[in-house]
C-alpha cells in the first residue's frame, strides 16, 4: 500500500515493498508531502480511539485500525501563576503517555505491510507504547533501552511480551543498537525517524480544539521534537480547513541538561558544540542530543511566533510535586512544563493549554520516611 512520504533531502518516495527508516538513496528523513486540511464533518465517531480522525492520516484508507482506546484524554482547567490554564492529561492514555497516539498508527502501518517482528529503541514511554500496540497487532517487539531508564518502564515493556535489551551508555547507544538490527534486515519501528507518529500527535490539537476552542498558547516538552511538531501540524490542519483563524503560540520545553533545539534557537548551530547527553537529568525522556525533527520543528515553531524554553534541573522535581498537589501525578519529564509556565505567565496569550505527557507511575518518587504505625 502506498504512503505519501517523501525524503526531505532528495525527494525520493517511500517504497511500497520495503520498510526503510531513512532514505535508502541519501540517508535523509522521510516526511509527509503536505499537511492535510481538517474537516470536522469527516470525523468518524464510530471508529476506535484516535482513528476517528483517520481522514488526516497519511496511511492508506484500507489500513485496518489498531487501537487500545487511546485519545479522548481530559482537559482540566486550573489557576497557576495568576493565569487560568487548561491541562491536557495525556498521561491517562492506555500505557500512560502521549506516545500511544503514535504507536497506534505505527503498529497499524507495520501490520499492513505484513511485519511480524520489529525493533525499536526508547528511554521508556515510546517503548512501552510500542510494546503494547505491537502485542495488539500480533507483532513481536524487541526494544533497546538505556540501562539508566526507569525500571518501571522496562518492566512495563516486558509485561506486554517485548524482548527488552538494556544498553550501557548514553541514550544514543540504544539507538545505535537498534540501527544495527535494522542493518541486518529487521524492520525498525522508529518513533523518532518514521513520520507515521506525527499524525497521531496531531490528534492532540484536534481534541484541544474540540474541548476548549482555539487556544492562544500551547506548551509541551521537546525531545526528538515529534510531539510538538505533530501538535503544530494539527493546528495547521485546523487552520487549512478553516476551523481556526490563526495558529496558537507554541512553546517547546527542554531540560537544561540536554537542550539542543533551545541552544540552536538561541545561538545558532555553533551552539550544538556545548550540548551533550552525558549530563544526568531526571527528565530522561527528553535527553536527546541529536533530535531527528529538530530542524523541522525549529522552522515550524519560529514561523508561527513560537519559542523554546529551558528548565534548570533544580526546578523539575518541585514542578512535579506542585502538579501532584493539584491532582496531576506526572513523571519528571512531563513536569518540566510547570517551570516553563512560570516563565511565560506574563506574556503567553489566553487561553493556555499545557500538555502533560507521562504518568507519575512511570517514575514514582521514593515513599516518605514514616515513623507511624504500620498497616496490619
Amino acid at each position: 500500500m502506498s504512503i505519501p512520504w517523501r525524503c526531505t533531502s532528495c525527494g525520493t518516495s517511500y517504497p511500497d515493498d520495503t520498510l526503510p527508516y531513512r532514505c535508502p538513496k541519501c540517508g535523509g528523513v522521510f516526511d509527509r508531502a503536505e499537511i492535510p486540511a481538517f474537516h470536522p464533518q469527516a470525523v468518524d465517531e464510530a471508529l476506535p480511539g484516535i482513528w476517528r480522525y483517520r481522514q488526516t492520516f497519511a496511511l492508506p484508507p484500507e489500513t485496518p485500525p489498531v487501537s487500545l482506546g487511546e485519545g479522548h484524554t481530559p482537559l482540566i482547567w486550573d489557576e497557576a501563576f495568576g493565569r487560568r490554564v487548561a491541562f491536557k492529561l495525556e498521561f491517562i492514555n492506555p500505557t500512560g503517555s502521549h506516545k500511544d497516539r503514535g504507536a497506534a498508527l505505527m503498529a497499524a502501518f507495520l501490520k499492513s505491510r505484513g511485519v511480524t517482528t520489529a525493533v525499536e529503541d526508547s528511554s521508556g514511554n515510546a517503548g512501552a507504547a510500542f510494546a503494547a500496540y505491537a502485542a495488539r497487532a500480533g507483532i513481536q517487539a524487541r526494544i533497546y533501552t538505556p540501562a539508566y531508564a526507569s525500571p518501571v518502564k522496562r518492566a512495563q515493556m516486558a509485561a506486554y511480551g517485548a524482548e527488552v535489551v538494556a544498553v550501557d551508555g548514553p541514550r544514543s547507544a540504544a539507538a545505535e543498537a537498534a540501527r544495527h538490527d535494522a542493518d541486518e534486515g529487521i524492520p525498525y519501528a522508529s518513533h523518532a525517524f518514521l513520520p507515521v507518529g506525527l499524525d497521531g500527535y496531531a490528534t492532540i490539537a484536534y481534541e484541544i480544539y474540540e474541548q476548549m476552542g482555539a487556544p492562544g498558547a500551547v506548551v509541551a516538552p521537546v525531545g526528538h521534537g515529534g510531539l510538538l511538531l505533530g501538535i503544530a501540524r494539527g493546528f495547521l490542519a485546523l487552520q487549512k480547513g478553516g476551523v481556526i483563524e490563526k495558529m496558537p503560540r507554541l512553546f517547546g520545553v527542554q531540560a537544561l541538561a540536554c537542550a539542543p533545539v533551545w541552544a540552536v534557537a538561541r545561538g545558532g548551530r555553533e551552539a550544538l558544540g556545548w550540548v551533550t547527553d552525558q549530563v544526568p537529568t531526571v527528565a530522561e525522556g527528553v535527553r536527546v542530543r541529536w533530535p531527528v525533527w529538530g530542524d523541522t520543528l525549529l522552522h515550524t515553531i519560529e514561523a508561527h511566533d513560537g519559542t523554546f524554553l529551558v528548565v534548570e534541573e533544580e526546578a523539575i522535581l518541585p514542578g512535579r510535586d506542585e502538579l501532584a498537589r493539584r491532582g496531576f501525578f506526572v513523571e519528571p519529564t512531563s513536569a518540566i512544563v510547570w517551570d516553563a509556565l512560570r516563565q511565560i505567565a506574563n506574556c503567553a496569550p489566553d487561553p493556555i493549554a499545557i500538555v502533560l505527557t507521562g504518568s507519575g507511575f512511570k517514575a514514582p518518587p521514593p515513599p516518605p520516611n514514616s515513623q507511624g504505625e504500620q498497616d496490619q
Side-chain angles (χ1 to χ4, degrees):
M1 292 186 286
S2 297
I3 190 164
W5 297 342
R6 293 187 179 276
C7 174
T8 57
S9 297
C10 71
T12 296
S13 296
Y14 195 82
D16 294 335
D17 54 352
T18 56
L19 287 162
Y21 68 96
R22 300 193 75 161
C23 177
K25 289 188 176 180
C26 72
V29 177
F30 286 104
D31 198 2
R32 291 190 70 138
E34 63 178 347
I35 294 172
F38 181 91
H39 299 295
Q41 65 272 19
V43 176
D44 188 350
E45 295 294 348
L47 293 175
I50 62 170
W51 289 89
R52 63 191 185 277
Y53 303 117
R54 74 173 304 155
Q55 49 137 331
T56 65
F57 299 163
L59 296 175
E62 63 269 25
T63 304
V66 175
S67 179
L68 290 167
E70 63 291 330
H72 285 295
T73 57
L75 190 78
I76 306 298
W77 290 91
D78 201 357
E79 301 285 335
F81 303 106
R83 302 293 296 273
R84 191 162 183 259
V85 181
F87 291 95
K88 181 66 169 162
L89 308 191
E90 285 299 289
F91 61 89
I92 293 179
N93 274 298
T95 77
S97 85
H98 70 287
K99 296 290 189 180
D100 289 5
R101 295 178 186 262
L105 302 193
M106 177 70 78
F109 169 58
L110 295 176
K111 186 176 182 180
S112 73
R113 292 290 183 100
V115 171
T116 57
T117 301
V119 64
E120 168 68 303
D121 63 280
S122 169
S123 62
N125 285 334
F130 180 66
Y133 284 83
R136 186 70 175 166
I139 297 169
Q140 178 59 48
R142 178 187 299 160
I143 302 170
Y144 290 96
T145 183
Y148 63 74
S150 164
V152 175
K153 294 176 183 177
R154 295 204 302 267
Q156 185 182 12
M157 297 176 208
Y160 295 126
E163 177 189 355
V164 183
V165 182
V167 180
D168 291 330
R171 171 67 178 83
S172 56
E176 290 173 5
R179 288 196 292 269
H180 179 270
D181 278 7
D183 292 340
E184 296 295 318
I186 302 175
Y188 182 16
S190 175
H191 71 282
F193 282 97
L194 290 173
V196 63
L198 299 180
D199 289 349
Y201 304 144
T203 65
I204 297 174
Y206 309 148
E207 290 184 15
I208 288 175
Y209 171 76
E210 290 170 348
Q211 292 166 316
M212 65 181 287
V218 179
V219 184
V222 171
H224 272 295
L227 170 61
L228 189 58
L229 180 59
I231 291 173
R233 290 183 174 180
F235 284 113
L236 286 170
L238 287 163
Q239 186 180 36
K240 188 174 181 179
V243 180
I244 61 175
E245 292 185 3
K246 65 177 183 177
M247 286 279 289
R249 191 174 182 198
L250 302 177
F251 295 89
V253 191
Q254 299 200 289
L256 181 60
C258 187
V261 184
W262 171 82
V264 172
R266 289 297 184 92
R269 300 199 69 84
E270 297 80 6
L272 279 175
W274 298 97
V275 177
T276 176
D277 59 1
Q278 302 292 325
V279 178
T281 174
V282 293
E284 63 183 20
V286 291
R287 193 165 77 174
V288 179
R289 185 181 184 186
W290 303 108
V292 171
W293 299 104
D295 288 342
T296 305
L297 177 64
L298 189 64
H299 296 152
T300 301
I301 299 307
E302 292 186 341
H304 296 92
D305 196 32
T307 193
F308 295 92
L309 308 168
V310 71
V311 173
E312 296 186 9
E313 194 68 17
E314 56 267 27
I316 298 176
L317 293 183
R320 177 199 63 186
D321 296 344
E322 181 59 38
L323 285 164
R325 284 190 286 269
R326 294 163 181 265
F328 308 127
F329 187 43
V330 299
E331 63 178 328
T333 296
S334 181
I336 62 176
V337 297
W338 181 257
D339 189 69
L341 177 59
R342 177 192 63 80
Q343 295 178 46
I344 66 170
N346 293 328
C347 66
D350 284 322
I352 303 172
I354 308 290
V355 182
L356 297 180
T357 53
S359 171
F361 293 117
K362 303 272 193 165
N369 292 327
S370 174
Q371 301 299 321
E373 184 177 8
Q374 294 184 352
D375 291 338
Q376 299 298 314

